[in-house]
């Protein structure tokens, strides 16, 4: 008996025994999987162990693959939905519509069960899945569709009624496509591919604009008193859901009329027309920010931050700040729009030097404010051209609003620069390419972006397939090239080792500090071990890490993960991040391990990759992952482990398996990130005053002091002392490094290593008794 037949028997026969263990459904066809899914949907909570096990196996396989349905399976799916409604009071209508969409033959007549389903829902006070209900009603006939439209349009207001009418007028196939965004709850957002389907529907796109403009008109009317103000009552819950969906469609399409709409709608929902601290619609404001988390644009982020500064309710800014962290991370991933920076009245004409950034000047009485953008934006004050150390007292007294405005501007510019850098760096995985004319004006010549962009290495396609690498900061003039020539960021993975070494040497010699690690960027190539394991990597498995610190890094780097802990289903998760414009996904498995005092520990496991195929994630062999996608994903995982491993904790004293791991990993072979650290160290050491006391030997920086010789591990920064390799514990101060050593990129671990090297090279001058006691014990 085939596996498909055994599974069907297990799902339908309570007396059939199915062997325990992992069920591999890879050999089950997509049509067989569709029929099995129908049977699995009929399995309820009272089923036998074998039935439940088969159901979970089928549902898991359906989540990874795209089931297909015979006409008979489609009909049986609708019958199963009717059974669910009768037994449990609810059924997922999108399952029936999905079955019809992926039907392998002529569509069956499902009008009778469709009519039953619609009748069941129309009798309820609250209608869930309204879009799907309309699509099902269309299958039942015109009379049923009219009844559904009338019921769904009742007491919902003109915005929702307009939406219902638009959807009712679509063809059944288009209704089914839109049903994927019919959310039961506005806090849950469907996958991006469902929104893309909606964004391709002209009728729904037209509705989206009408709905959002109608919402702005309503807030305008509240502001001028045409509509009485009631706190948080400007829109109903149903309207907020519809407006949120309309906004996502418009944001996904990056509609040009949106920025002007934001200027009306956001203040309209956030500021009462009276002096009240309440909002016309706090719920819609939060829904707008949730939409920005899905499909952000620079203009919407700016509008949200503007409103955040003016809203009167004490709790709202705090909530917006939390939500904006996710918005900023999402904008950095949306590389097609994140590079669109406003100029904000900054100018470069009055600033000399090829690498000069933007400058903005404002007059305040006898004084002048100067906002200058170099690596970051800074605010200074001048009088008659002479710089002042602080804000002049007359300015603080007479121009307080201007001071606040400029300080907010500095924060805003700095936030935009952070987003720009994240977007540029995120462009590696999608191999983002720009036209030379646009790049020259909007990036290399932009008053806010130019100082960052010019310190990065770029490649210009001077002939088909022939790329020339340039570092604008080291060039007297930008290269001549046609406006339509292609430009992309240089990546060491695409370059030969000789060229990589040359770029690293140039940066070091000229003391050019890159805004993020590029020339010294680590590259990760497939290893023989990963070729053997084929679909997963154990390269970063079996590490013990500080869990909360790693969880924070997940969020900071745009990864999604559930919080783990000692509770049900809190023992393990897979952090994930989408790459290459949503075409690839990386998953990093980890499990909650234990407490260490007040700290929480986790252990790391496999890394796997999935490719999106027909809207569904399918696991892919590592060899099929594009090299840049693989390298950038593994670089993130290396960062998570390297920064949070307990091996890098200098005062770890706990025993047990954690101590064994600490002793092994704290002085282990170097990872790719530590290898890059060693390369930098070899280049900067000759420039240091302690150069004569330092050598790089394998995985260690050897420092010769007067009392002892020290070996600083280039991965963990842990220290061993010769001649007996005894451990030296030095807990770093809050400020590491001596602040004067040039590094071509920011690296906290390298700064820590150098600070320890400076300390130990002059070990006779150490005054800390805890350090001296350890050194003298075996000297």
């Amino acid at each position: 008996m085939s596996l498909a037949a055994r599974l069907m028997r297990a799902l339908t026969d309570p007396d059939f025994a199915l062997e325990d263990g992992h069920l591999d459904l890879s050999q089950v066809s997509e049509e067989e999987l569709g029929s099995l899914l129908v049977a699995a949907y009929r399995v309820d909570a009272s089923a036998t162990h074998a039935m439940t096990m088969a159901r979970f196996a089928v549902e898991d396989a359906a989540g990874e693959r795209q089931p297909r349905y015979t006409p008979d399976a489609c009909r049986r799916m609708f019958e199963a939905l009717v059974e669910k409604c009768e037994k449990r009071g609810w059924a997922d209508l999108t399952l029936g519509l999905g079955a019809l969409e992926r039907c392998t033959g002529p569509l069956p007549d499902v009008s009778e069960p469709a009519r039953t389903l619609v009748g069941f829902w129309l009798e309820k006070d609250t209608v869930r899945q309204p879009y799907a209900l309309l699509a099902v009603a269309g299958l039942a006939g015109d009379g049923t569709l009219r009844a559904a439209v009338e019921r769904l349009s009742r007491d919902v207001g003109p915005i929702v009624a307009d939406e219902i009418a638009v959807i009712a007028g679509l063809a059944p196939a288009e209704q089914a496509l839109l049903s994927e965004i019919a959310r039961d709850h506005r806090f849950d957002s469907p996958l991006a591919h469902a929104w893309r389907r909606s964004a391709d529907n002209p009728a729904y796109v037209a509705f989206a604009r009408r709905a959002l403009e109608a919402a702005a008109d309503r807030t305008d009317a509240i502001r001028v008193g045409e509509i009485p103000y009631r706190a948080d009552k400007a829109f109903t819950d149903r309207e907020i859901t519809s407006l949120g969906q309309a906004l996502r469609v418009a944001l996904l399409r990056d509609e040009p009329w949106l920025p002007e709409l934001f200027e009306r709608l956001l203040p309209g929902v956030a500021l009462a027309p009276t002096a009240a601290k309440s909002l016309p619609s706090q719920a819609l404001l939060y829904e707008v920010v949730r939409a920005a988390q899905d499909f952000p644009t620079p203009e919407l982020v700016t509008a949200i931050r503007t409103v955040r500064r003016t809203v009167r309710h004490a709790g709202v800014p705090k909530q917006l700040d939390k939500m904006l962290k996710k918005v900023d991370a999402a904008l950095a991933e949306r590389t097609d729009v994140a590079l669109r920076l406003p100029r904000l009245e900054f100018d470069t004409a009055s600033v000399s030097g090829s690498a000069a950034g933007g400058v903005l000047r404002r007059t305040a009485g006898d004084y002048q404010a100067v906002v200058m953008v170099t690596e970051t934006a800074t605010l200074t004050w001048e009088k008659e051209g002479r710089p002042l150390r602080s804000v002049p007292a007359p300015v603080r007294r007479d121009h307080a609003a201007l001071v606040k405005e400029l300080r907010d501007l500095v924060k805003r510019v700095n936030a935009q620069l952070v987003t720009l850098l994240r977007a540029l760096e995120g462009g590696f995985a999608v191999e983002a390419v720009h036209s030379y004319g646009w790049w020259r004006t909007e990036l290399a010549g932009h008053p806010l972006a130019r100082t960052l962009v010019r310190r990065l290495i770029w490649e210009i396609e001077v002939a088909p397939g022939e790329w020339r690498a340039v570092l604008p900061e080291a060039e007297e003039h930008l290269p001549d090239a046609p406006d339509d020539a292609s430009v992309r960021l240089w990546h060491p993975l695409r370059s030969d080792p000789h060229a990589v070494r040359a770029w690293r040497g140039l940066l070091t010699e000229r003391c050019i500090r890159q805004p993020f690690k590029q020339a010294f960027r680590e590259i990760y190539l497939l290893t023989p071990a990963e070729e053997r394991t084929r679909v997963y990597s154990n390269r970063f498995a079996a590490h013990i890490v500080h869990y909360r610190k790693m969880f924070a890094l997940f969020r900071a780097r745009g990864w999604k993960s559930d919080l783990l802990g000692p509770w049900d289903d809190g023992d393990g998760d897979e952090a994930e991040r989408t790459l290459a414009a949503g075409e690839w996904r990386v998953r990093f498995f980890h499990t909650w391990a234990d407490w260490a005092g007040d700290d929480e520990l986790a252990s790391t496991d496999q890394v796997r990759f999935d490719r999106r195929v027909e809207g569904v994630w399918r696991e892919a062999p590592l060899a099929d992952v594009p090299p840049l996608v693989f390298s950038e994903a593994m670089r993130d995982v290396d960062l998570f482990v390297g920064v949070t491993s307990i091996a890098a904790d200098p005062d770890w004293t706990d025993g047990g398996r954690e101590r064994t791991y600490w002793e092994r990993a704290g002085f282990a072979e170097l990872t790719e990130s530590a290898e890059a650290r060693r390369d930098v160290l070899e280049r900067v050491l000759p420039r240091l005053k302690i150069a004569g006391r330092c050598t790089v030997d394998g995985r260690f920086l050897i420092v010769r002091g007067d009392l002892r010789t020290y070996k600083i591990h280039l991965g963990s920064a842990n220290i061993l002392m010769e001649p007996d390799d005894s451990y030296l514990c030095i807990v770093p101060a809050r400020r590491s490094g001596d602040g004067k050593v040039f590094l071509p990129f920011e690296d906290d671990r390298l700064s820590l290593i150098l600070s320890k090297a400076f300390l130990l090279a002059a070990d006779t001058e150490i005054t800390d008794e805890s350090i001296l006691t350890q050194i003298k014990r075996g000297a």
Side-chain angles (χ1 to χ4, degrees):
M1 185 185 299
S2 69
L3 176 59
R6 285 189 288 121
L7 285 168
M8 183 61 77
R9 182 86 178 272
L11 290 167
T12 55
D13 183 356
D15 297 325
F16 183 77
L18 187 68
E19 65 273 15
D20 286 335
H22 175 69
L23 295 170
D24 182 6
L25 274 67
S26 59
Q27 301 305 313
V28 174
S29 72
E30 292 180 341
E31 273 195 3
E32 290 173 330
L33 185 58
S35 295
L36 288 169
L37 192 59
V38 174
Y41 190 61
R42 284 186 152 121
V43 174
D44 56 30
S46 62
T48 65
H49 171 70
M51 298 177 80
T52 303
M53 186 171 68
R55 171 194 164 194
F56 287 157
V58 169
E59 289 177 345
D60 288 345
E64 297 294 329
R65 298 166 58 189
Q66 193 78 287
R68 300 187 69 80
Y69 301 82
T70 63
D72 182 61
C74 291
R75 178 184 53 76
R76 287 187 286 109
M77 177 61 86
F78 272 83
E79 292 171 352
L81 293 174
V82 172
E83 289 178 16
K84 283 287 185 182
C85 281
E86 292 172 346
K87 291 181 179 179
R88 299 179 57 190
W90 183 81
D92 186 353
L93 301 181
T94 63
L95 291 175
L97 298 172
L100 292 177
E101 182 185 353
R102 293 182 289 276
C103 185
T104 59
L107 293 180
D109 180 8
V110 294
S111 57
E112 184 175 344
R115 196 172 298 114
T116 302
L117 288 169
V118 175
F120 176 86
W121 276 111
L122 293 185
E123 293 177 357
K124 291 186 169 291
D125 294 333
T126 302
V127 176
R128 299 172 66 178
Q129 298 182 309
Y131 295 2
L133 185 64
L134 286 171
V136 172
L139 299 171
D142 290 344
T144 304
L145 179 60
R146 284 194 298 272
V149 170
E150 192 278 328
R151 169 65 180 81
L152 293 173
S153 302
R154 191 184 308 157
D155 301 323
V156 293
I159 293 174
V160 179
D162 183 9
E163 180 185 35
I164 296 300
V166 167
I167 296 173
L170 299 176
E174 293 175 318
Q175 291 175 336
L177 292 178
L178 282 172
S179 70
E180 289 193 49
I181 67 169
R183 297 172 293 162
D184 293 332
H185 198 283
R186 64 170 178 266
F187 293 96
D188 301 320
S189 184
L191 295 174
H193 76 274
W195 292 112
R196 291 189 182 96
R197 290 177 165 186
S198 307
D200 290 337
N201 187 298
Y204 196 84
V205 170
F207 157 74
R209 182 169 187 174
R210 290 197 305 272
L212 292 168
E213 289 179 343
D217 289 342
R218 186 181 303 178
T219 59
D220 287 347
I222 292 173
R223 177 175 52 81
V224 298
E226 294 177 0
I227 297 177
Y229 171 70
R230 291 190 300 158
D232 208 23
K233 299 294 184 182
F235 301 93
T236 65
D237 285 350
R238 185 67 184 86
E239 286 178 321
I240 290 166
T241 298
S242 295
L243 289 169
Q245 292 170 175
L247 180 57
R248 284 171 175 84
V249 167
L251 286 170
L252 177 57
R253 293 174 58 86
D254 196 20
E255 292 285 1
W257 45 267
L258 276 174
E260 184 178 349
L261 179 105
F262 296 149
E263 293 178 3
R264 297 173 55 206
L265 181 60
L266 265 70
V269 298
L271 290 173
T274 65
K277 294 181 180 180
S278 56
L279 287 71
S281 182
Q282 181 173 309
L284 183 55
L285 176 61
Y286 289 159
E287 178 68 1
V288 169
V289 185
R290 281 189 288 270
Q293 291 173 351
D294 290 334
F295 304 109
T297 66
E299 294 81 10
L300 179 52
V301 173
T302 297
I304 294 170
R305 291 192 186 281
T306 300
V307 161
R308 182 247 178 264
R309 292 194 299 268
T310 57
V311 68
R312 303 186 193 109
H313 190 293
V316 171
K318 295 179 181 178
Q319 182 64 27
L320 290 179
D321 288 342
K322 293 179 183 179
M323 300 175 76
L324 278 167
K325 291 180 180 178
K326 294 183 180 179
V327 175
D328 289 336
L331 180 58
E333 295 294 317
R334 197 180 180 191
T335 56
D336 55 332
V337 301
L339 303 184
R340 194 166 62 212
L341 279 179
R343 293 184 178 256
L344 301 175
E345 301 181 32
F346 279 81
D347 191 15
T348 56
S350 60
V351 184
S352 61
S354 61
V359 63
L360 182 144
R361 298 178 182 274
R362 293 284 181 85
T363 300
D366 296 333
Y367 302 89
Q368 190 170 56
V370 181
V371 180
M372 181 75 73
V373 180
T374 50
E375 289 195 18
T376 58
T378 56
L379 171 62
T380 58
W381 294 88
E382 296 178 355
K383 183 176 183 180
E384 298 176 353
R386 291 182 294 103
L388 305 175
R389 290 189 176 184
S390 60
V391 184
V395 173
R396 286 199 306 268
R397 183 185 64 242
D398 301 331
H399 303 277
L402 176 62
V403 173
K404 184 178 185 304
E405 176 191 341
L406 293 176
R407 285 174 174 169
D408 288 342
L409 176 65
V410 168
K411 292 179 183 178
R412 176 178 164 191
V413 170
N414 285 331
Q416 289 174 336
L417 293 179
V418 170
T419 298
L420 171 68
L421 289 178
R422 292 185 64 173
L424 287 171
E425 196 172 9
F428 277 136
V430 297
E431 301 197 52
V433 176
H434 318 285
S435 68
Y436 183 70
W438 179 87
W439 173 86
R440 186 179 56 228
T441 303
E442 299 302 322
L443 284 181
H446 195 288
L448 303 184
R450 57 185 280 124
T451 58
L452 302 177
V453 169
R454 291 179 63 88
R455 287 181 279 123
L456 293 168
I457 306 167
W458 297 85
E459 289 183 303
I460 303 170
E461 192 172 29
V462 294
E466 181 182 343
W467 297 83
R468 176 193 166 194
V470 296
L471 176 64
E473 184 74 359
E475 304 278 341
E476 193 169 335
H477 302 288
L478 290 176
D480 289 327
D483 284 350
D484 60 353
S486 295
V487 183
R488 69 186 182 191
L489 269 174
W490 175 90
H491 193 288
L493 190 65
R494 291 193 294 253
S495 192
D496 64 82
H498 174 75
V500 174
R501 286 193 296 270
W503 282 117
R504 291 178 175 183
L506 178 64
L507 291 172
T508 307
E509 290 164 13
R510 299 205 181 187
C511 293
I512 298 174
R513 183 183 176 91
Q514 294 198 286
F516 55 78
K517 195 184 292 187
Q518 185 190 25
F520 287 88
R521 199 174 191 82
E522 310 86 349
I523 60 174
Y524 299 78
L525 304 175
L526 208 61
T527 64
E530 289 162 343
E531 291 174 352
R532 289 192 296 271
T533 55
R534 204 176 75 81
V535 296
Y536 64 88
S537 168
N538 275 332
R539 191 184 308 200
F540 300 106
H543 287 275
I544 300 175
V545 299
H546 294 285
Y547 173 62
R548 291 289 179 149
K549 187 184 294 186
M550 187 171 73
F551 184 76
L553 270 180
F554 288 158
R555 298 297 176 90
R557 295 291 297 175
W559 289 61
K560 296 179 181 178
S561 177
D562 291 332
L563 186 66
L564 303 184
W567 50 72
D568 289 344
D569 299 325
D571 57 336
D573 191 34
E574 46 196 80
E576 65 177 57
R577 180 188 175 189
T578 56
L579 298 159
E583 294 304 309
W584 286 90
R585 179 178 70 175
V586 57
R587 292 179 292 149
F588 175 36
F589 292 75
H590 56 286
T591 57
W592 194 85
D594 203 352
W595 291 96
D598 294 331
D599 197 6
E600 296 177 67
L601 303 180
S603 58
T604 63
D605 209 329
Q606 300 174 355
V607 176
R608 292 176 179 258
F609 287 83
D610 307 304
R611 172 191 283 159
R612 187 183 292 281
V613 179
E614 296 180 354
V616 176
W617 290 116
R618 295 189 178 176
E619 190 168 77
L622 302 181
D624 292 351
V625 182
L628 264 177
V629 172
F630 181 83
S631 185
E632 289 298 301
M634 297 299 275
R635 182 176 183 270
D636 264 7
V637 179
D638 191 358
L639 171 73
F640 299 149
V641 174
V643 171
T644 67
S645 169
I646 65 170
D649 189 342
D651 57 350
W652 184 267
T653 57
D654 286 13
R657 72 183 186 99
E658 289 85 5
R659 183 67 186 186
T660 302
Y661 163 79
W662 184 91
E663 292 172 347
R664 170 177 56 84
F667 301 98
E669 292 295 331
L670 300 183
T671 63
E672 285 84 349
S673 59
E675 290 282 2
R677 196 173 294 133
R678 182 175 65 183
D679 190 348
V680 179
L681 199 55
E682 289 173 336
R683 296 173 186 275
V684 302
L685 266 180
R687 301 166 177 259
L688 304 182
K689 63 183 180 181
I690 60 170
R693 289 181 172 266
C694 298
T695 56
V696 177
D697 184 6
R699 69 188 84 164
F700 294 98
L701 170 63
I702 311 298
V703 181
R704 180 175 53 82
D706 291 320
L707 300 178
R708 297 187 76 163
T709 297
Y710 312 89
K711 298 159 60 176
I712 307 176
H713 191 261
L714 300 179
S716 65
N718 289 340
I719 307 167
L720 298 177
M721 297 184 288
E722 294 184 349
D724 57 351
D725 277 352
S726 56
Y727 175 67
L728 173 61
C729 176
I730 298 179
V731 179
R734 290 184 176 272
R735 186 178 66 183
S736 59
D738 72 346
K740 298 178 182 178
V741 178
F742 164 76
L743 297 177
F745 56 86
E746 185 177 350
D747 186 323
D748 290 340
R749 188 68 52 81
L750 182 53
S751 296
L752 176 60
I753 290 169
L754 286 170
S755 72
K756 290 183 176 182
F758 275 94
L759 176 72
L760 296 172
D763 54 3
T764 56
E765 299 175 15
I766 295 175
T767 58
D768 189 310
E769 284 298 326
S770 65
I771 298 175
L772 281 175
T773 300
Q774 296 176 76
I775 293 174
K776 293 178 179 179
R777 185 178 298 136

